Each structure stands twice: as C-alpha cells, then as structure tokens.
Amino acid sequence: MNQNTALTPFRVDIPQADMDDLRDRLARTRWPIPVPGRDDRADFSRGIPPVYLKELAEYWRDAFDWRAQEAKLNAYDQVTTVVDGQTFHVVHVRSANPEATPLMLNHGWPGSFVEYQRLIPLLTDEFHVVIPSPPGFGFSTPLSATGWELARTTDAYAEIMTRLGYERFGAHGSDVGAGTVGRLAAVHPERVIGTHFGSDAKWLALVGDTFPYPDGLSDDEIAQIEAVRAEDAPERGYLEMQNHRPDTIGAALTDSPVGQLAWIAEKFKTRAGGAYRTPDESVDRDQLLTNISLYWFTRSGASSAQFYYENAHSGLDVLMGAGVPSGFAVFDAHPLMRRAMDPWKAIGHWSEFTEGGHFPAMEEPELLAADIRAFFRAPGISRD
C-alpha cells in the first residue's frame, strides 16, 4: 500500500468551461434518422426511444441546474486519498451519535455516490456513513494503472476504513457493490460486523451461471428461473461491451453526452421497478441527471467500463463472506428468489418488497434505510 495515508478534503467544483462545453455538445447533437413508427416515448423494445431521449437531453441542456445539485453534494464531507497509487474519492458523513456504527455503502455501475444521496440523511442517526467510489468511477479518476479489479479494490477499501479510524464496520452494497461487500467479509472477517445486500428479481438470472442451481427445484421452478434468465439476456449487451471492449464503447461515451445519457438512462427503465414507467418516473429526474453528469464531467463512462473488463478477466471467484452475519433486502421480489438463492435459509435476515428494483437507494430509500437499521440492530451484530 502507498505510504502516504493523507486524507485530503474535497469539494465538487466543475469548471464553468466544462458546463458550457456540455451544453454546446447537447445543442449540436447529431441525431439518428428515426425509424418510422418509433414515436412512443415508453417503448423501450429497441433500446431507449429517440423521442424520449430528445426530451431528456433538452431538459439536461436547458433546465437542469448542475450548480444547485453540486451544492447539495457539497453538503456532505468528502475526501480523497491515494491507495496503491490510485486516487479514491470518499464521502464521509459522521453521525452526531457517539455510539454510531461505521457503515460503508458500496455502489456499482451505472451508479455513483450520488445514488446514496437520499439515503444518507436517513442513516446518520445511527451510522457514520462512508461511500468510496471504485477506481474509475466519479472522482476516483483518472485510473492510475490497469489491474484494478474487485480484490485489489476491496483491499483498498479496507485500508480507507483504517485511515478514517474505523477498525470494525458494517457494509451494504448492491450490483458490483455487492461483490466488494462479500469480498470484504470473506477477506477481512475480523473487521466486518455484518453485510447487507440490496438485490432485485434480476438476481435470479445469476442462478445457473454465477450461482449453481440448488438441489430439489421442480421442473416448473427451473422453467421460471430460465424465463427470468431469458428476459435478462438482452440486458447483457452493455455487460459484454464493458467486459470485453471497454475502449470501443469508452470513446463514444467520452465524446457524446447524448451517448452517455442513453447508455445509462436506459438502465433506469430496464432495471428499475415498475416496467411501465420511464426512467425519470422510477427515480427523481434531477438525481438521475446528476449521476449521469458526474459520469460525463469525470469521463468515467470509459474508465468505469475498464473496471468491468478487469473483473471479467481476473479469474476471481465470487466470495460472500459466509462467516459474517448477512442480510438481504430484495426489491421487486420474485417468489422463487429465496428458494433459489438461499434454499437452506442460512441467511438470518431476509426481507422482500414488492416495490423498487435494482436501484433501491434511489427508488425506495425509506424502505432500504429501515431494513439496514433493522439488520444492524439485530442480536448477534456487535462491534465488540
């Protein structure tokens, strides 16, 4: 690890020239020639509909107030620190409660620390909240080198918690953040007091691939899981590009703000709960665009894709830290979720919600906060 352990105070301050450049690029967008009949703003069958994308781009250009959103982000203390040559950005919000538990919130793609913006004030009565950005995401840029995958990132996160003064801590994560949470518990079990995962019905698509089919499933249950896998298959397009061709897609995401907008906004339709909604009906429009703006201003559309490439080629096994107390909050729950993921009911805390989806901290922050609090209040979760 790098011997310079300094924590440098950080504030978000995007240069005005970068904001002007964004508006200029949006105004000069070279739009595709529309396919006849593609005029339904809610029809995502071929990807994000052009009519909806134009509407969102115009709002981003003319009505979205980055400075107001920047001020909201700067209401929370932030630092940067260098670990193993890589700069990490960390949101660090201390609780006024002297008995508060340190809690690390872990995000993946297409999220950022902005994803937890509405969750933070719901937790700080009981938790010191720490949100590190993975290498290549947000202000954890630029990348210092190749090789930043889950294992190296997890070790860096543990070091960051040491620098912040937290020997023992809890961890919550979703998406790729669930991977860092599980690995933290597996590699540093003496430090992690409990792991809490936010998941959704699409996790069923991992059964038969990342996770084996459990014994005892009926033919009908296997068919239901296969149906979820088939439904999820078109979603793997972005994953295959980022896993195997990050340089190719990275060029487009760095040069075209509308390309970056489409690349991320679509996922808030196909991954969020309520399939009938547009992305900005599932989550707050300004929060969505703040998240996308962060990717644009930091050029992390390209560098976050590199993180996927590194993980896909690392040969690492999925680690879930079986010896550490764990809890799941499943949003947009499928009836077979626990049957397939935890058939032995080894996970002590398991909650299912019909609301929400892949982005619970943005879609249902109150439900997620309540479940996190309930998990870490349970007997057997101890900082001692």
Side-chain angles (χ1 to χ4, degrees):
M1 293 291 183
N2 193 293
Q3 294 303 305
N4 179 7
T5 61
L7 299 169
T8 304
F10 179 88
R11 286 181 60 81
V12 182
D13 186 15
I14 298 301
Q16 185 62 42
D18 290 357
M19 296 172 57
D20 294 341
D21 175 68
L22 170 60
R23 291 195 178 95
D24 180 61
R25 287 171 183 262
L26 289 169
R28 293 186 297 106
T29 299
R30 186 169 182 252
W31 293 100
I33 298 172
V35 175
R38 287 286 287 153
D39 55 0
D40 183 351
R41 67 190 297 276
D43 179 9
F44 280 68
S45 60
R46 301 187 184 202
I48 193 165
V51 63
Y52 174 73
L53 182 60
K54 280 189 176 183
E55 174 189 313
L56 206 55
E58 288 171 1
Y59 180 87
W60 196 14
R61 183 191 69 209
D62 298 329
F64 176 71
D65 187 345
W66 167 258
R67 289 300 185 206
Q69 300 304 317
E70 189 177 71
K72 291 180 181 179
L73 299 180
N74 283 327
Y76 300 119
D77 288 339
Q78 302 162 63
V79 298
T80 58
T81 192
V82 178
V83 184
D84 198 14
Q86 173 65 43
T87 296
F88 283 84
H89 171 261
V90 186
V91 175
H92 183 207
V93 185
R94 291 186 183 275
S95 173
N97 178 2
E99 303 299 320
T101 299
L103 176 66
M104 182 193 292
L105 303 179
N106 294 248
H107 71 80
W109 183 92
S112 67
F113 69 94
V114 174
E115 184 175 344
Y116 292 117
Q117 187 177 14
R118 297 169 65 196
L119 188 66
I120 293 171
L122 302 176
L123 293 177
T124 49
D125 57 336
E126 295 186 31
F127 301 97
H128 302 302
V129 175
V130 178
I131 313 172
S133 293
F137 287 71
F139 295 108
S140 291
T141 51
L143 284 170
S144 63
T146 59
W148 278 102
E149 28 76 319
L150 275 177
R152 193 176 179 189
T153 300
T154 298
D155 287 342
Y157 281 6
E159 171 65 16
I160 288 168
M161 293 303 279
T162 298
R163 294 181 186 185
L164 293 173
Y166 303 130
E167 183 59 30
R168 299 262 291 155
F169 56 90
H172 161 82
S174 60
D175 193 74
V176 174
T180 51
V181 168
R183 187 165 285 273
L184 273 166
V187 179
H188 303 282
E190 74 287 353
R191 300 192 61 186
V192 180
I193 65 174
T195 57
H196 185 274
F197 300 92
S199 65
D200 65 303
K202 293 296 179 70
W203 276 45
L204 269 182
L206 301 175
V207 178
D209 182 10
T210 304
F211 304 108
Y213 278 110
D215 295 334
L217 290 178
S218 69
D219 290 344
D220 179 65
E221 289 171 329
I222 292 174
Q224 289 185 56
I225 295 172
E226 288 297 316
V228 173
R229 288 171 56 82
E231 182 181 308
D232 188 64
E235 292 302 303
R236 301 186 68 83
Y238 86 90
L239 187 63
E240 295 304 319
M241 283 296 294
Q242 297 192 157
N243 279 354
H244 303 293
R245 296 294 184 268
D247 287 343
T248 301
I249 191 60
L253 299 178
T254 303
D255 191 59
S256 169
V258 167
Q260 180 68 87
L261 178 66
W263 193 245
I264 290 180
E266 184 209 22
K267 297 305 165 199
F268 283 84
K269 164 71 173 184
T270 58
R271 292 294 189 182
Y276 56 89
R277 303 188 188 111
T278 57
D280 59 333
E281 291 170 337
S282 291
V283 299
D284 178 79
R285 176 182 280 197
D286 283 342
Q287 188 181 15
L288 173 63
L289 288 173
T290 301
N291 181 60
I292 294 170
S293 297
L294 182 66
Y295 274 84
W296 174 257
F297 288 134
T298 61
R299 306 189 190 195
S300 53
S303 51
S304 61
Q306 299 290 340
F307 188 74
Y308 272 71
Y309 179 92
E310 299 291 353
N311 288 328
H313 294 82
S314 66
L316 294 171
D317 293 328
V318 175
L319 299 179
M320 298 301 286
V324 172
S326 63
F328 270 73
V330 185
F331 294 83
D332 189 26
H334 189 285
L336 280 178
M337 185 72 173
R338 189 165 198 183
R339 176 98 166 91
M341 299 289 293
D342 183 30
W344 305 280
K345 296 189 177 180
I347 297 170
H349 178 97
W350 186 282
S351 303
E352 295 189 355
F353 305 95
T354 57
E355 303 91 339
H358 194 71
F359 308 99
M362 295 177 72
E363 297 174 77
E364 299 291 342
E366 291 84 5
L367 287 179
L368 178 59
D371 202 76
I372 290 173
R373 289 196 299 267
F375 170 69
F376 282 101
R377 286 175 181 171
I381 306 292
S382 173
R383 291 179 57 190
D384 297 334

